[in-house]
Amino acid sequence: MLINHNKIILILISLSVTGFAENEKDYTQSIPGTKEKIEMVFIPGGKFIMGSPKSERGHFGDEGPQHQVEISPFWMGKFEITWDLYELFVAREIDSKRPQQVEGEEVYIDVEGVSGATQPYTDMSFGMGVEGYPAVCMTQLAAVKFCEWLSAMTGNFYRLPTEAEWEYACRAGTKTAYSFGDDPADLDIYGWHQGNSGGAYHKVGQKNPNPWGLYDMHGNVSEWTLDQYDPTLYNQRKMKTANNPLQKPTKTYPRVVRGGAWSDKAYRLRSATRRPSSKKWKKRDPQIPKSLWWHTDAPFVGFRVVRPVTKPTPEEQKTYWN
């Protein structure tokens, strides 16, 4: 029997395209009143094994026991939020350029009612670069309020990722120590770390992406998540599948950052590595009281944004922003 290979290929392409709904595709979010954009990558929902085995090189005790987690679909920023974007939030000069009718239909809040970060008392880039470079030194509160501000400006709902969403997106379907395999010798191709960064962060997107098209998930800067840090948390999840877990914060410290940074050794950049925030990140802040918005001693921490496919209720939106 003769097989029409071209016809088979066309059928397969058609199936792959129709497998996603119209809203389950990558898109670009414009920022009203500017030329700035945020590229968003669609992350399909699914189950994965969170954490790392004791046998993994560099394993820490807070990464176990491994357990199954189910994640709903969402979009995630292709890149870490840059100073170009973050300074728009700090300056707040474009708030007046928000159109009366925004494109999105998920959020209906007054941008003037969103709390804004204070201007830092010193250059928080510490001379490492601004244009195209990841924003750093902000507190988790500041990152959360950026998300609220971005939501008000665009009409689409944005927030920080949960710790589980972050690891799920970083792994991108892999089970190895890194999204590219187990050998840290290959890390130079995918991330900036202590061994190749030259003692500074770099422009976003300079290294290879992970299998789902996300850049700098390993290194460059660590990234804020929504969760409270609990070193024994995984013990509570080992008996059943955790569905979209979030360890809701009850105190300011410690919260979870993920991904490792330009200042970290390679094992700190693994997909499962967790890091708690610390009061020491404000040690050199001379202000009394110390700033709610800036971590003077954390030039290794930034963030990226996510947008869930399922729109939260207005009440749920507020919990993510507060």
Side-chain angles (χ1 to χ4, degrees):
M1 182 177 68
L2 293 175
I3 299 175
N4 189 328
H5 291 284
N6 289 335
K7 187 173 182 180
I8 292 175
I9 291 172
L10 286 173
I11 292 172
L12 289 174
I13 291 174
S14 176
L15 288 172
S16 66
V17 171
T18 56
F20 293 99
E22 183 63 31
N23 66 340
E24 295 178 347
K25 298 177 182 177
D26 298 356
Y27 72 95
T28 299
Q29 177 66 69
S30 299
I31 312 300
T34 78
K35 295 181 180 179
E36 298 297 332
K37 301 178 185 297
I38 301 177
E39 294 184 60
M40 301 297 293
V41 176
F42 177 69
I43 307 298
K47 294 180 180 180
F48 80 110
I49 301 300
M50 189 172 183
S52 68
K54 292 181 179 179
S55 59
E56 186 170 292
R57 182 179 176 185
H59 168 87
F60 288 94
D62 64 355
E63 298 168 19
Q66 289 182 287
H67 55 286
Q68 185 167 260
V69 173
E70 185 168 5
I71 298 294
S72 297
F74 61 98
W75 291 274
M76 177 176 258
K78 180 182 289 189
F79 307 108
E80 294 154 340
I81 293 296
T82 63
W83 282 115
D84 312 69
L85 290 162
Y86 194 70
E87 286 181 340
L88 295 174
F89 163 67
V90 175
R92 301 295 291 270
E93 294 175 356
I94 67 166
D95 286 13
S96 61
K97 297 182 180 180
R98 177 188 179 276
Q100 286 191 336
Q101 185 63 45
V102 292
E103 292 182 7
E105 298 181 347
E106 298 175 348
V107 173
Y108 300 96
I109 57 174
D110 186 351
V111 70
E112 293 182 0
V114 180
S115 300
T118 57
Q119 289 287 344
Y121 79 94
T122 189
D123 172 21
M124 290 298 178
S125 75
F126 294 97
M128 292 187 286
V130 175
E131 225 175 291
Y133 291 84
V136 294
C137 289
M138 76 290 294
T139 62
Q140 192 214 44
L141 171 66
V144 164
K145 289 302 178 183
F146 172 91
C147 294
E148 184 179 12
W149 171 82
L150 178 65
S151 301
M153 289 293 292
T154 63
N156 289 323
F157 173 73
Y158 291 98
R159 59 170 171 80
L160 293 180
T162 65
E163 184 180 14
E165 286 171 339
W166 194 98
E167 184 173 327
Y168 176 69
C170 178
R171 289 188 177 281
T174 66
K175 298 180 180 179
T176 47
Y178 307 89
S179 64
F180 53 82
D182 288 311
D183 191 352
D186 296 328
L187 186 57
D188 284 358
I189 304 172
Y190 295 89
W192 297 106
H193 56 94
Q194 188 184 81
N196 70 352
S197 68
Y201 59 52
H202 290 256
K203 286 188 175 183
V204 300
Q206 300 298 298
K207 296 294 187 176
N208 285 1
N210 76 356
W212 285 349
L214 300 168
Y215 290 80
D216 299 309
M217 295 298 282
H218 303 293
N220 207 20
V221 296
S222 298
E223 299 174 13
W224 283 112
T225 69
L226 285 170
D227 297 59
Q228 186 87 54
Y229 172 77
D230 180 348
T232 64
L233 175 64
Y234 292 4
N235 283 305
Q236 304 168 32
R237 298 179 181 169
K238 62 184 179 181
M239 301 305 294
K240 59 181 181 179
T241 299
N243 186 19
N244 295 311
L246 167 62
Q247 187 70 2
K248 292 183 179 180
T250 57
K251 53 186 177 180
T252 303
Y253 297 101
R255 306 286 175 90
V256 181
V257 296
R258 284 299 203 113
W262 56 270
S263 53
D264 287 323
K265 293 182 179 179
Y267 68 89
R268 282 281 186 182
L269 276 62
R270 292 174 299 109
S271 299
T273 304
R274 311 171 70 206
R275 183 172 187 170
S277 64
S278 170
K279 291 181 180 179
K280 294 180 180 179
W281 293 359
K282 291 185 181 182
K283 186 177 181 179
R284 289 181 294 175
D285 185 347
Q287 302 170 104
I288 301 175
K290 293 185 182 296
S291 173
L292 294 173
W293 306 101
W294 299 99
H295 276 131
T296 313
D297 298 83
F300 47 82
V301 176
F303 69 102
R304 72 180 75 211
V305 300
V306 302
R307 177 186 170 202
V309 170
T310 301
K311 180 181 72 172
T313 65
E315 291 73 24
E316 290 171 334
Q317 292 175 10
K318 290 177 183 177
T319 63
Y320 288 117
W321 295 328
N322 293 288

